[in-house]
C-alpha cells in the first residue's frame, strides 16, 4: 500500500509538474577522516605548507588510538577546492599504494575531508 | 375525374379492404415482419393524364395502419427525370390527399411513376403502395391523343394563383424524409442520426495508421534507491554503464524526463454521430525500449487504447477540409522514459557498490505503466471526405508506476 501511494504520488505530482514528493533532505551525512573511501587533504604531510591528498582505505581502532590505512596520491593541490576537484578523478596518480599511520598524523595538522568515493574491491585489497 | 384519381381511390379502397384481415395480427409481429403492403392489382396500376395537369392522389388507409401513420409520402419520377422526388400528402379526415404539381408534369409526355410509403411517428415505414421497382404508372399524353373527356379538367394555373396544398396545385415538397434505419431510405440515401434520409458521402468507419513518439517526465526523488529500482520501475546507470546499486541519500530531486518509445499505431474509429467517434488504437513500440534490470519486468511493446473523440464543426465527415478535434483516452501501455539525476552517496552507510562518488550524475530509466488515462487534441486535414492526415498530441497520466507522458502523433486516416 505504501508503495502504491508513493507511486500515485509520483505520478500525480509529475502530472501537475511539481517537484516530487520527497521531503527536503536534512543535512546530508558527510564522510569523516576515518570513513573508508574518504579523500582527505592534509596540510604539511610531506612538506610544510603543502597539501597532500590521501584516501582512507580502512581504520583500526584501539582503546586510545586509531590507525588509518591510506593511499597517498601524487597530487599537490594548492587549495582545498582544488583538492576536491582532483579527488573526483578516478585515475588520480598514486604516490604510495598503502600507508598505515596513526590518525594523529591527520588530526594534528590542518586537514579537510574533500570528497568521498566508495571503495572498489581492488582498492579494498590494498589493505593487508 | 381523371383515370389517375380514379385509380388512386380504387387502390385505397382495395387497401381498405385488405387491411382488416391483417389488423388481427399483433402489432409487434407485424413490425417484425416489415412494412404492410397495400395490395393493388397490377392491372389497376396504370392511368392516363393530360399534359399540364396536376396528378391528384388520394389514399385512405386501413384503420390499423391509419392509427399508426404520421406521414404519407408519395415518391414520383417524371419521364426522363433520373431522380425520384417525394411529396407529403395532407391528411383530410380519413384520407391523405395531394397532387403531383402540374408545373412538374409540364408538357413532357411519357410515363410518370410513383409509389407510396406510410411512416409512423418514429419514421419507420409501416406500409407501402407499389414500390420503386414496381411503381404505379400514369401515362402523360398530349390532349390531342386522349380519349374525349380525358383531357378535361383545369390545366396548370398560374403558380401565383395556386397555393400549395390545394387540390390540383403543388403539394408541399418534402425536403426531409423521416426514417429510423437505412432500410427506410431509398435511392442511395441513408438514415441520418437526426432521423431523416439524406444523401451524404459520410464514412462511418475510419482506419488510422500513424506514428507516435512518447515524451515523458517523472519525479526522480528516491529513484535510484534499491527499493525504487526493485519495486517502482526505475533503473539507474552510472557513467561507466554499470547499474547503480549504492546507498543514495534522499534529496529533493527535480523532475526529469525525455524521449520515450516510438510506436507505430493502427486504429479504428466508428462515427456514432455527426461529431463523435469511438475507437481503439493498437500500438507497437519499435524504438526507445529501455534496459531491463536483472529480474526486472520485461518491456511489453504492445499497447492498446480506447478513445472517444469530439469533432468541432458541422458534419465534418461529409466533406473535405480541416477537422479539429479533442479526445479522451485510456488503456494499456508501458512507457520507458530516459532521464537523469544526481545521486548523493551516503558515506556512512555500508557500501554495497564500489566506485560511487559522493555525488554523481546517473542515467535514470523509468518504466512507467501499465495503465494510463489522458486527453488530447488534434487537427485533421481531409483532402477528400474519406481521406485525411492528422497531427495530434495527448497528455497521459500513467499509473500505477507514475509518469506524465506527452504523446504527439501523426498519420493518415481512411474512411470506409
Amino acid at each position: 500500500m505504501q508503495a502504491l501511494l508513493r507511486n500515485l504520488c509520483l505520478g500525480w505530482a509529475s502530472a501537475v509538474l511539481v517537484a516530487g514528493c520527497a521531503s527536503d533532505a536534512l543535512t546530508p551525512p558527510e564522510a569523516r577522516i576515518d570513513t573508508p573511501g574518504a579523500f582527505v587533504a592534509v596540510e604539511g604531510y610531506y612538506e610544510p605548507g603543502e597539501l597532500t591528498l590521501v584516501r582512507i582505505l580502512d581504520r583500526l581502532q584501539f582503546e586510545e588510538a586509531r590507525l588509518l590505512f591510506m593511499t597517498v596520491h601524487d597530487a599537490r593541490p594548492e587549495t582545498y577546492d582544488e583538492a576536491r576537484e582532483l579527488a573526483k578523478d578516478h585515475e588520480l596518480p598514486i604516490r604510495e599504494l598503502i600507508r598505515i599511520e596513526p590518525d594523529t598524523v591527520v588530526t594534528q595538522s590542518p586537514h579537510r575531508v574533500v570528497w568521498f568515493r566508495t571503495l572498489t574491491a581492488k582498492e579494498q585489497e590494498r589493505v593487508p | 375525374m381523371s383515370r389517375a384519381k380514379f385509380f388512386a381511390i380504387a387502390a385505397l379502397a382495395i387497401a381498405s379492404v385488405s387491411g382488416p384481415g391483417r389488423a388481427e395480427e399483433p402489432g409487434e409481429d407485424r413490425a417484425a415482419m416489415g412494412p404492410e403492403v397495400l395490395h393493388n392489382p397490377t392491372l389497376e396500376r396504370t392511368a392516363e393524364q393530360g399534359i399540364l395537369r396536376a396528378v391528384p392522389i388520394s389514399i385512405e388507409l386501413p384503420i390499423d395502419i391509419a392509427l399508426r401513420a404520421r406521414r404519407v409520402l408519395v415518391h414520383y419520377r417524371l419521364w426522363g427525370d433520373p431522380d425520384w422526388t417525394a411529396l407529403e400528402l395532407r391528411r383530410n379526415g380519413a384520407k391523405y390527399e395531394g397532387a403531383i404539381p402540374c408545373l412538374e408534369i409540364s408538357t413532357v409526355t411519357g410515363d410518370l411513376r410513383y409509389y407510396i410509403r406510410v411512416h409512423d411517428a418514429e419514421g419507420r415505414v409501416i406500409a407501402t403502395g407499389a414500390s420503386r421497382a414496381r411503381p404505379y404508372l400514369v401515362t402523360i399524353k398530349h390532349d390531342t391523343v386522349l380519349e374525349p373527356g380525358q383531357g378535361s379538367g383545369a390545366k396548370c394555373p398560374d403558380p401565383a394563383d395556386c397555393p400549395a396544398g390545394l387540390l390540383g396545385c403543388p403539394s408541399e415538397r418534402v425536403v426531409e424524409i423521416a426514417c429510423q434505419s437505412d432500410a427506410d431510405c431509398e435511392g442511395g440515401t441513408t438514415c441520418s442520426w437526426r432521423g431523416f434520409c439524406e444523401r451524404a458521402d459520410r464514412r462511418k468507419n475510419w482506419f488510422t495508421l500513424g506514428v507516435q513518439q512518447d515524451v515523458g517526465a517523472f519525479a526522480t526523488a528516491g529513484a535510484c534507491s534499491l527499493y525504487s529500482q526493485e519495486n517502482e520501475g526505475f533503473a539507474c546507470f552510472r557513467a561507466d554503464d554499470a547499474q547503480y546499486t549504492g546507498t543514495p541519500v534522499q534529496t529533493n530531486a527535480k523532475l526529469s524526463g525525455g524521449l520515450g518509445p516510438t510506436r507505430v499505431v493502427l486504429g479504428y474509429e466508428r462515427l456514432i454521430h455527426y461529431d463523435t467517434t469511438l475507437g481503439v488504437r493498437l500500438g507497437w513500440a519499435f524504438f526507445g525500449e529501455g534496459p531491463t534490470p536483472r529480474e526486472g519486468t520485461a518491456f511489453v511493446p504492445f499497447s492498446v487504447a480506447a478513445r472517444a473523440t469530439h469533432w468541432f464543426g458541422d458534419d465534418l465527415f461529409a466533406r473535405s477540409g480541416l477537422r479539429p478535434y479533442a479526445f479522451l483516452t485510456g488503456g494499456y501501455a508501458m512507457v520507458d522514459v530516459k532521464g537523469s539525476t544526481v545521486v548523493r552517496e551516503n558515506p556512512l552507510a555500508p557500501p554495497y557498490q564500489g566506485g560511487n562518488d559522493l555525488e554523481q550524475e546517473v542515467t535514470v530509466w523509468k518504466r512507467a505503466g501499465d495503465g494510463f488515462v489522458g486527453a488530447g487534441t488534434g487537427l485533421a486535414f481531409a483532402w477528400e471526405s474519406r481521406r485525411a492526415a492528422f497531427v495530434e498530441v495527448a497528455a497521459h497520466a500513467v499509473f500505477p508506476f507514475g509518469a506524465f507522458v506527452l504523446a504527439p502523433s501523426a498519420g493518415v486516416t481512411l474512411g470506409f
Side-chain angles (χ1 to χ4, degrees):
Chain A
M1 178 59 76
Q2 185 180 4
L4 177 63
L5 290 175
R6 186 175 181 184
N7 269 304
L8 287 175
C9 181
L10 289 173
W12 289 113
S14 55
V16 295
L17 297 178
V18 298
C21 296
S23 60
D24 288 332
L26 300 175
T27 302
E30 297 285 354
R32 300 186 291 253
I33 63 163
D34 63 345
T35 302
F39 287 85
V40 184
V42 184
E43 191 174 327
Y45 186 77
Y46 283 120
E47 298 291 338
E50 281 190 358
L51 286 176
T52 300
L53 192 57
V54 301
R55 177 93 180 276
I56 308 300
L57 300 177
D58 204 353
R59 65 192 172 200
L60 194 55
Q61 183 71 44
F62 297 99
E63 280 189 10
E64 296 183 355
R66 182 171 54 181
L67 284 181
L68 297 178
F69 298 76
M70 305 182 296
T71 291
V72 182
H73 286 281
D74 189 12
R76 295 186 178 182
E78 294 183 355
T79 64
Y80 289 113
D81 287 340
E82 185 182 350
R84 177 185 175 90
E85 294 307 312
L86 289 170
K88 294 178 182 177
D89 183 1
H90 287 221
E91 305 298 330
L92 188 64
I94 293 174
R95 182 169 179 172
E96 289 184 71
L97 200 59
I98 180 69
R99 191 175 179 100
I100 305 170
E101 299 271 14
D103 64 352
T104 53
V105 172
V106 175
T107 58
Q108 289 183 353
S109 302
H111 66 279
R112 187 179 295 177
V113 177
V114 295
W115 195 243
F116 168 82
R117 184 185 309 123
T118 55
L119 295 167
T120 64
K122 191 175 179 181
E123 290 166 340
Q124 288 174 334
E125 287 172 359
R126 296 175 191 163
V127 179
Chain B
M1 177 184 293
S2 69
R3 289 190 61 183
K5 186 173 182 182
F6 170 78
F7 145 72
I9 294 180
L12 64 88
I14 291 170
S16 298
V17 170
S18 63
R22 284 180 290 279
E24 297 172 2
E25 299 171 2
E28 292 78 9
D29 293 346
R30 195 162 49 241
M33 292 168 62
E36 186 113 14
V37 177
L38 303 175
H39 291 285
N40 184 40
T42 304
L43 289 177
E44 295 189 29
R45 294 187 176 204
T46 59
E48 293 181 346
Q49 170 80 40
I51 60 172
L52 280 173
R53 288 180 176 84
V55 177
I57 297 174
S58 176
I59 184 168
E60 184 171 346
L61 301 176
I63 184 65
D64 62 323
I65 296 176
L67 289 174
R68 291 184 289 138
R70 288 294 179 273
R71 305 179 84 192
V72 177
L73 301 182
V74 173
H75 302 262
Y76 65 91
R77 193 178 75 177
L78 297 165
W79 174 257
D81 189 345
D83 297 323
W84 290 82
T85 305
L87 66 85
E88 182 172 1
L89 300 184
R90 291 191 163 207
R91 187 166 193 169
N92 184 9
K95 295 181 179 178
Y96 284 85
E97 296 176 339
I100 298 174
C102 58
L103 285 178
E104 294 205 18
I105 299 299
S106 71
T107 58
V108 178
T109 57
D111 288 340
L112 161 69
R113 294 170 166 81
Y114 73 96
Y115 60 97
I116 300 167
R117 286 155 68 93
V118 182
H119 298 260
D120 65 7
E122 296 176 335
R124 188 185 299 114
V125 177
I126 57 173
T128 62
S131 66
R132 183 167 291 198
R134 299 189 63 197
Y136 301 130
L137 290 178
V138 176
T139 302
I140 306 298
K141 293 184 175 180
H142 198 274
D143 293 350
T144 56
V145 298
L146 288 173
E147 294 292 326
Q150 278 189 319
S152 63
K155 282 197 172 184
C156 195
D158 184 349
D161 298 334
C162 189
L166 282 184
L167 199 60
C169 295
S171 293
E172 292 180 358
R173 199 177 185 90
V174 175
V175 177
E176 293 178 318
I177 301 171
C179 60
Q180 197 171 52
S181 69
D182 289 348
D184 297 332
C185 301
E186 298 179 302
T189 61
T190 56
C191 191
S192 71
W193 291 289
R194 293 183 295 115
F196 297 100
C197 296
E198 63 181 8
R199 187 187 306 277
D201 185 20
R202 184 191 306 109
R203 303 292 157 163
K204 292 182 178 177
N205 300 300
W206 291 84
F207 290 93
T208 297
L209 180 64
V211 177
Q212 173 181 314
Q213 174 63 61
D214 292 346
V215 182
F218 55 87
T220 59
C224 293
S225 68
L226 283 177
Y227 179 86
S228 293
Q229 295 191 72
E230 289 177 351
N231 300 288
E232 295 177 2
F234 287 102
C236 299
F237 294 88
R238 306 191 311 197
D240 60 0
D241 292 332
Q243 186 174 1
Y244 174 79
T245 56
T247 310
V249 176
Q250 289 281 357
T251 58
N252 205 8
K254 299 176 182 176
L255 285 176
S256 184
L259 292 180
T262 307
R263 305 173 193 273
V264 58
V265 178
L266 187 64
Y268 168 75
E269 288 186 83
R270 171 76 177 178
L271 190 65
I272 61 167
H273 199 64
Y274 297 102
D275 57 0
T276 307
T277 56
L278 293 178
V280 62
R281 287 199 173 180
L282 307 176
W284 186 268
F286 61 92
F287 182 75
E289 175 185 348
T292 299
R294 191 175 56 188
E295 299 181 3
T297 303
F299 181 73
V300 178
F302 173 76
S303 63
V304 59
R307 61 161 51 193
T309 306
H310 176 77
W311 300 80
F312 298 99
D314 181 27
D315 200 7
L316 293 177
F317 288 88
R319 62 177 190 269
S320 58
L322 291 175
R323 298 174 179 172
Y325 59 94
F327 60 91
L328 297 174
T329 183
Y332 171 91
M334 272 193 180
V335 184
D336 280 358
V337 183
K338 184 181 182 181
S340 64
T341 191
V342 173
V343 172
R344 183 181 176 91
E345 196 72 13
N346 183 355
L348 305 183
Y352 293 113
Q353 183 182 35
N356 287 326
D357 279 287
L358 182 66
E359 289 180 350
Q360 62 180 322
E361 183 164 347
V362 296
T363 299
V364 186
W365 283 92
K366 170 75 174 183
R367 182 154 291 173
D370 301 348
F372 72 88
V373 293
T377 184
L379 183 66
F381 173 69
W383 65 91
E384 294 178 16
S385 63
R386 66 180 68 179
R387 294 186 176 88
F390 70 91
V391 291
E392 67 178 39
V393 62
H396 296 162
V398 183
F399 60 91
F401 299 119
F404 175 76
V405 175
L406 288 176
S409 64
V412 294
T413 182
L414 303 177
F416 294 94

